[in-house]
């Protein structure tokens, strides 16, 4: 019975990852729900956050005791609390002085032997070992499996002196070491150990795992695995509890802790189903206060693509990462009884014992009282184990393997979706729809249909990198004049460390245990980006988060705009190149004050601005910044179709390359509809850290609805090439 319940929860969660969006509060009873009360930065001087939070809460709830409804207090890195409130109490507190926002605690979703080499980042890459060993990556996810070889601490000394996280707080059956130097867990959980899913373990190992020789997933992808910064340390913050979604109140608590603990980079794979206003987005709030302390946060675009405006984390102080392919995909094959070979997409390590097996579909497999439609889909609890044994099943549902495996079928064939391929619990092939329909025709025209499913094999894909359909796309609904995502990184069929407490297919009845697994999803891309950011920071520990982000963006590999039809709204500035990012030549720096001015331009009140910043910031007339003029290494503007426009982008670059050097501007565009002018078209720098400003003017008219004009600006001194995308687009036709 427990296994059936576990299977149902697993199936429900996997369906939620596909299409549902958790935006409702986590109601504790009919009247109260968990809400976050965000109060901005911690005040300077003598201040007791908890006492203040209880006072505010008591005034807001009136008829109850504050201690009874307080969920947690945020008091280490920023100011606020989570509490169980009624709608009336939520509205009352939101009107009180000193409150930036009160919003429901929404749920979030959790979204490499070849990968680093594919990016031009080999094992022999130049490193700064002493600085790298002091680097700490905070991973806010589903936990971590500390016994993995990729987290062994044999060659590590004690934690860096800057670590402020104190003793290990990993909970039940968890011990830190000199690699995993910190661990915390949050509500509803009693350990940082990741027993199920493997998501957090996989991400942490990509960013900062040790080098391990000869790793593989049951012989697939065999080679050496490593993180971007193998000498770096990891602090794990378990904010998710599979199979339940992650909760914003816990995410914000983890940001509060990670910032105060002294991490250098924050990585989280938890994202929303929608984009939210910055003041009601726990990830944006936490990342803003991390940025204040010099910490860059890397977050995935989410797995809701390929629909336009499906990128869900859009704050400009965050590094938002799209997911793309590498040049070593895995395929498997179905060979029909008539000799037809169909190529599919699944991570299938199984070799079947024999050449041909019965192929079955539909009502001949059904269990009472399920319909024929349900049996064709292989819906949960709709197959009869006595009717399917010894057969390979054709399932109309792309996750039909779940039920087919449960009832003991030999294997399954199912249609592809925009979701990522996944490891399977038994022989499975996932086919494009036209090939899937060919199997149906074969079944209908054959008296005794048969099939064989071959083990997966690696092939060469010269078209890579290509942004995968599951990756969230821009433009941003919140800030349409800022390109999101920022950058692209590998996210498809990536080998990395895995939990030792759960089967690799995530099926509750899959009892295999592996050290490494091949997974896909944009969370993986954010792990690559976080590792790359840590690598850049190891060379430039004094750089601001925006400088590191700029270096990654301006040195990125230009991707194919024909294959990636959304162009910059698919991949941002391009595919990440960690080595080039250590020497970008110029950087576009954005400081906290610049973001504050942008928030002024977005209509935030002076009172909210001061609470967020923790100082006397204001919005004097003429000082606000339009979002398009934020000093980002990319430029975008949304325009009206047919209307002539003249748009100016003001930017300032800082020389981090060579002294006594001159950069010349080169503009490229894909359209005759626009003309672009750069003034001045040459920038001369006498010394390192010199700053120079310029203006990019874009004139023209776009005559098509739902159309994007992609251009780029390249500054070059003959040694460094500093590239920025320029995008002008019409929003008609986008489903905002």
């Amino acid at each position: 019975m427990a296994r059936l319940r576990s299977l149902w929860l697993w199936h429900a969660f996997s369906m939620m990852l596909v299409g549902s969006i958790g935006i409702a509060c986590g109601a504790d009873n009919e009247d109260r729900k968990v809400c976050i009360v965000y109060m901005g930065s911690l005040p300077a001087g003598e201040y007791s956050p908890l006492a203040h939070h209880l006072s505010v809460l008591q005034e807001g709830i009136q008829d109850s005791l504050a201690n009874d409804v307080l969920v947690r207090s945020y008091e280490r890195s920023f100011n606020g609390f989570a509490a169980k409130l009624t709608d009336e109490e939520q509205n009352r507190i939101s009107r009180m002085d000193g409150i930036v926002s009160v919003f429901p605690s929404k749920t979030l979703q959790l979204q490499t032997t070849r990968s680093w080499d594919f990016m031009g980042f080999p094992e022999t890459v130049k490193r700064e070992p002493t600085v790298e060993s002091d680097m700490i990556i905070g991973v806010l996810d589903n936990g971590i499996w500390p016994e993995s070889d990729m987290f062994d601490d044999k060659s590590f000394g004690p934690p860096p002196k800057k670590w402020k996280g104190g003793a290990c707080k990993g909970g039940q059956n968890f011990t830190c070491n000199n690699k995993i130097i910190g661990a915390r867990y949050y509500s509803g959980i009693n350990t940082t150990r990741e027993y199920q899913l493997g998501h957090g373990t996989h991400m942490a190992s990509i960013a900062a795992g040790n080098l391990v020789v000869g790793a593989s997933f049951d012989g697939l992808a065999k080679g050496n695995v490593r993180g971007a910064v193998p000498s770096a340390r990891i602090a794990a913050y378990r904010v998710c509890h599979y199979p339940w979604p992650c909760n914003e109140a816990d995410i914000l608590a983890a940001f509060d802790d990670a910032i105060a603990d002294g991490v250098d980079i924050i990585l989280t794979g938890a994202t929303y189903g929608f984009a939210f206003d910055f003041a009601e987005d726990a990830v944006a709030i936490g990342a803003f206060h991390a940025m204040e302390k010099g910490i860059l946060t890397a977050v995935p675009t989410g797995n809701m693509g390929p629909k336009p405006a499906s990128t869900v984390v859009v704050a400009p102080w965050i590094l938002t990462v799209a997911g793309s392919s590498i040049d070593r995909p895995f395929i498997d094959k179905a060979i029909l009884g008539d000799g037809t070979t169909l190529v599919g997409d699944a991570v299938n390590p199984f070799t079947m014992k024999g050449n041909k097996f019965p192929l079955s579909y539909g009502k001949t497999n059904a269990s009472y009282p399920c319909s024929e439609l349900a049996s064709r889909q292989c819906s949960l609890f709709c197959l009869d184990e006595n009717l399917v044994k010894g057969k390979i099943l054709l399932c109309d549902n792309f996750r039909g393997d779940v039920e087919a495996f449960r009832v003991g079928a030999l294997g399954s064939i199912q249609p592809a979706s925009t979701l990522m391929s996944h490891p399977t619990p038994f022989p499975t092939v996932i086919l494009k729809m036209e090939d899937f329909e060919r199997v149906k025709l074969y079944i209908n025209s054959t008296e005794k249909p048969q099939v064989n499913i071959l083990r997966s094999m690696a092939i060469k894909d010269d078209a890579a990198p290509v942004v995968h359909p599951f990756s969230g796309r821009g433009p941003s609904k919140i800030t349409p004049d800022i390109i999101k995502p920022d950058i692209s990184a590998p996210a498809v069929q990536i080998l990395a460390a895995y939990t030792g407490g759960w089967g690799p297919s995530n099926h509750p009845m899959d009892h295999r245990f592996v050290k490494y697994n091949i997974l896909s999803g944009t969370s993986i891309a954010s792990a690559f980006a976080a590792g790359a950011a840590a690598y850049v920071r190891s060379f430039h520990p004094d750089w601001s988060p925006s400088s590191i982000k700029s270096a990654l963006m301006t040195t990125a590999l230009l991707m194919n705009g024909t294959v990636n039809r959304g162009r910059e709204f698919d991949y941002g500035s391009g595919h990440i190149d960690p080595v080039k990012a250590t020497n970008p030549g110029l950087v576009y720096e954005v400081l906290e004050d610049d973001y504050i001015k942008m928030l002024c331009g977005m209509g935030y009140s002076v009172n909210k601005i001061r609470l967020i910043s923790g100082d006397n910031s204001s919005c004097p007339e003429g000082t606000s910044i339009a979002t398009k003029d934020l000093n980002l290494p990319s430029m975008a503007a949304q325009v009206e179709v047919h209307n002539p426009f003249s748009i100016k982008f003001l930017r300032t670059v800082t020389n981090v390359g060579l002294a006594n050097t001159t950069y010349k501007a080169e503009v490229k565009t894909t359209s005759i509809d626009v003309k672009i002018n750069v003034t001045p078209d040459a920038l001369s720098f006498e010394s390192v850290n010199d700053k120079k400003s310029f203006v990019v003017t874009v004139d023209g008219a776009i005559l098509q609805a739902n159309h994007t004009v992609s251009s780029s600006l390249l500054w070059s001194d003959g040694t460094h090439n500093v590239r920025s995308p320029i995008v002008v687009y019409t929003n008609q036709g986008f489903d905002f």
Side-chain angles (χ1 to χ4, degrees):
M1 198 65 188
R3 284 196 181 278
L4 291 179
R5 180 176 179 274
S6 179
L7 180 63
W8 172 251
L9 288 173
W10 179 90
H11 190 264
F13 185 67
S14 67
M15 292 303 101
M16 181 194 67
L17 287 178
V18 174
S20 72
I21 298 168
I23 60 172
C25 297
D28 291 86
N29 57 44
E30 291 182 356
D31 300 317
R32 294 190 178 276
K33 55 197 174 186
V34 177
C35 289
I36 293 170
V37 180
Y38 175 49
M39 303 169 69
S41 293
L42 288 165
E46 292 269 338
Y47 177 67
S48 173
L50 180 58
H52 186 202
H53 298 163
L54 288 171
S55 174
V56 169
L57 188 53
Q58 192 63 63
E59 183 180 347
I61 62 176
Q62 296 180 349
D63 296 333
S64 302
L65 293 177
N67 275 317
D68 292 341
V69 298
L70 181 69
V71 174
R72 66 172 66 253
S73 184
Y74 308 120
E75 53 188 357
R76 299 184 69 196
S77 304
F78 45 85
N79 200 10
F81 60 90
K84 301 170 187 174
L85 304 175
T86 65
D87 289 343
E88 181 181 347
E89 291 164 351
Q90 177 184 346
N91 292 332
R92 187 181 300 133
I93 292 174
S94 68
R95 295 192 297 268
M96 295 169 64
D97 290 339
I99 306 299
V100 176
S101 58
V102 183
F103 56 96
S105 177
K106 302 176 287 294
T107 58
L108 298 88
Q109 304 164 7
L110 290 172
Q111 313 283 345
T112 4
T113 48
R114 174 59 188 156
S115 335
W116 289 116
D117 289 337
F118 174 65
M119 290 186 285
F121 191 69
E123 288 179 27
T124 55
V125 72
K126 181 183 176 182
R127 296 190 179 275
E128 296 288 341
T130 302
V131 182
E132 184 177 304
S133 184
D134 282 345
M135 204 65 53
I136 306 167
I137 297 182
V139 183
L140 284 56
D141 208 84
N142 194 56
I144 196 167
W145 187 261
E147 287 79 18
S148 171
D149 291 342
M150 295 192 77
F151 308 134
D152 186 275
D153 72 341
K154 288 178 183 176
S155 61
F156 287 81
K161 293 180 180 179
K162 65 182 180 182
W163 172 246
K164 302 181 183 69
C168 184
K169 302 175 181 65
Q172 182 178 320
N173 194 24
F174 193 98
T175 303
C176 296
N177 59 22
N178 286 329
K179 177 69 175 181
I180 303 174
I181 61 174
R184 297 177 185 269
Y185 59 93
Y186 299 89
S187 60
I189 312 168
N190 62 5
T191 181
T192 314
R193 178 179 293 276
E194 182 177 42
Y195 285 104
Q196 297 174 310
L197 194 61
H199 193 273
T201 301
H202 201 264
M203 289 176 62
S205 68
I206 289 170
N210 301 331
L211 170 67
V212 177
V213 177
S216 73
F217 170 55
D218 202 4
L220 297 178
K222 189 169 185 179
N224 299 345
V225 290
R226 58 192 162 92
V229 280
S231 299
R233 319 302 177 105
I234 295 168
Y237 302 83
R238 190 176 182 194
V239 296
C240 304
H241 186 196
Y242 180 85
W244 311 111
C246 321
N247 192 284
E248 271 193 312
D250 296 332
I251 292 278
L252 207 51
F255 268 105
D256 190 28
D257 286 331
I259 295 166
D261 288 345
V263 305
D264 295 285
I265 302 290
I266 290 177
L267 163 64
T268 180
T271 61
Y272 305 94
F274 288 110
F276 292 93
D277 181 270
F278 300 149
E280 298 183 359
D281 178 338
V283 175
I285 291 168
F288 181 88
H289 292 288
M291 175 273 301
E292 288 182 310
K293 300 293 195 246
I295 304 165
L296 178 63
T297 300
V299 176
T301 59
N303 297 333
M304 304 299 289
K307 183 180 178 181
S310 53
T311 292
V312 294
V313 180
V314 298
W317 48 84
I318 290 175
L319 180 62
T320 306
V321 192
S324 53
S325 61
I326 62 173
D327 63 347
R328 184 234 52 208
F330 289 99
I331 62 166
D332 58 355
K333 297 178 181 180
I335 302 178
L336 303 181
D338 62 3
T340 301
T341 298
L342 303 174
V343 177
D345 175 24
V347 181
N348 168 33
F350 301 96
T351 301
M352 302 192 75
K353 297 178 180 179
N355 294 320
K356 294 180 181 179
F357 305 90
L359 175 60
S360 185
Y361 175 61
K363 62 183 179 181
T364 56
N365 306 319
S367 65
Y368 180 83
C370 290
S371 66
E372 182 176 351
L373 175 64
S375 67
R376 285 181 175 180
Q377 292 178 333
C378 302
S379 298
L380 201 59
F381 308 123
C382 282
L383 296 179
D384 187 330
E385 61 184 68
N386 295 314
L387 299 176
V388 304
K389 284 197 182 217
K391 299 177 182 178
I392 293 175
L393 306 186
L394 186 70
C395 301
D396 286 344
N397 190 305
F398 70 97
R399 289 313 312 262
D401 59 314
V402 176
E403 172 69 354
F405 180 67
R406 184 188 74 83
V407 294
L410 281 181
S412 67
I413 300 173
Q414 53 223 42
S417 75
T418 57
L419 283 187
M420 64 294 293
S421 61
H422 55 276
T424 61
F426 67 163
T428 303
V429 63
I430 300 172
L431 297 175
K432 293 179 181 178
M433 188 53 70
E434 55 266 34
D435 287 337
F436 185 77
E437 292 297 327
R438 288 178 69 182
V439 180
K440 285 187 182 180
L441 290 173
Y442 166 70
I443 291 175
N444 292 333
S445 63
T446 306
E447 184 177 349
K448 293 183 178 180
Q450 294 180 310
V451 69
N452 189 15
I453 297 174
L454 303 186
R455 172 184 166 94
S456 290
M457 59 182 290
I459 63 170
K460 176 76 170 174
D461 180 11
D462 292 327
V466 175
V467 176
H468 196 279
F470 61 64
S471 185
R473 264 66 171 178
S476 160
K477 299 189 287 187
I478 306 299
T479 51
D481 289 343
I482 293 177
I483 296 174
K484 284 289 181 173
D486 296 304
I487 205 163
S488 171
V492 182
Q493 297 181 339
I494 305 300
L495 182 79
Y498 193 65
T499 173
W502 196 242
S505 68
N506 264 313
H507 193 295
M509 297 175 69
D510 183 356
H511 300 303
R512 295 172 295 162
F513 295 102
V514 298
K515 290 185 175 182
Y516 307 96
N517 201 0
I518 297 172
L519 302 179
S520 301
T522 53
S523 294
I524 294 169
S526 65
F528 278 104
Y535 178 72
V536 173
R537 184 161 181 165
S538 72
F539 286 86
H540 306 285
D542 58 337
W543 277 11
S544 67
S546 62
S547 293
I548 296 172
K549 178 179 172 181
S550 172
L552 292 168
M553 291 173 66
T554 60
T555 60
L557 172 71
L558 179 62
M559 295 177 70
N560 188 325
T562 302
V563 177
N564 302 281
R565 298 187 65 183
R567 295 182 177 272
E568 288 80 7
F569 291 133
D570 285 359
Y571 50 70
S573 292
H575 201 260
I576 199 165
D577 187 332
V579 175
K580 286 185 178 179
T582 63
N583 185 22
L586 304 174
V587 294
Y588 294 76
E589 189 165 36
V590 189
L591 302 178
E592 179 187 352
D593 187 54
D594 299 315
Y595 294 122
I596 293 296
K597 291 176 180 177
M598 183 202 74
L599 294 176
C600 289
M602 293 178 67
Y604 282 64
S605 69
V606 172
N607 286 338
K608 286 189 176 183
I609 292 293
R610 289 178 176 176
L611 290 169
I612 293 169
S613 65
D615 57 29
N616 291 322
S617 296
S618 61
C619 301
E621 188 175 346
T623 62
S624 298
I625 296 177
T627 53
K628 75 174 180 63
D629 290 325
L630 195 63
N631 197 43
L632 298 172
S634 60
M635 302 167 220
Q638 176 186 317
V639 299
E640 295 296 324
V641 67
H642 297 300
N643 289 357
F645 56 79
S646 182
I647 303 165
K648 295 184 183 298
F649 300 97
L650 174 64
R651 293 293 187 269
T652 299
V653 288
T654 302
N655 180 29
V656 294
L658 305 171
N660 299 312
T661 188
T662 297
Y663 285 80
K664 294 182 179 180
E666 178 185 353
V667 172
K668 293 183 179 180
T669 184
T670 60
S671 174
I672 61 173
D673 294 334
V674 301
K675 292 183 179 180
I676 301 176
N677 183 60
V678 183
T679 307
D681 60 0
L683 302 174
S684 295
F685 299 90
E686 293 182 0
S687 61
V688 175
N689 294 324
D690 273 0
K691 296 179 183 292
K692 298 290 181 181
S693 298
F694 60 92
V695 175
V696 176
T697 304
V698 184
D699 295 305
I702 298 180
L703 305 180
Q704 295 175 255
N706 192 16
H707 186 66
T708 299
V709 175
S710 294
S711 308
S712 65
L713 167 64
L714 180 72
W715 289 107
S716 179
D717 66 350
T719 300
H720 305 93
N721 294 310
V722 187
R723 188 176 57 82
S724 293
I726 305 170
V727 172
V728 182
Y729 71 100
T730 55
N731 71 328
Q732 288 85 350
F734 285 131
D735 185 8
F736 279 96

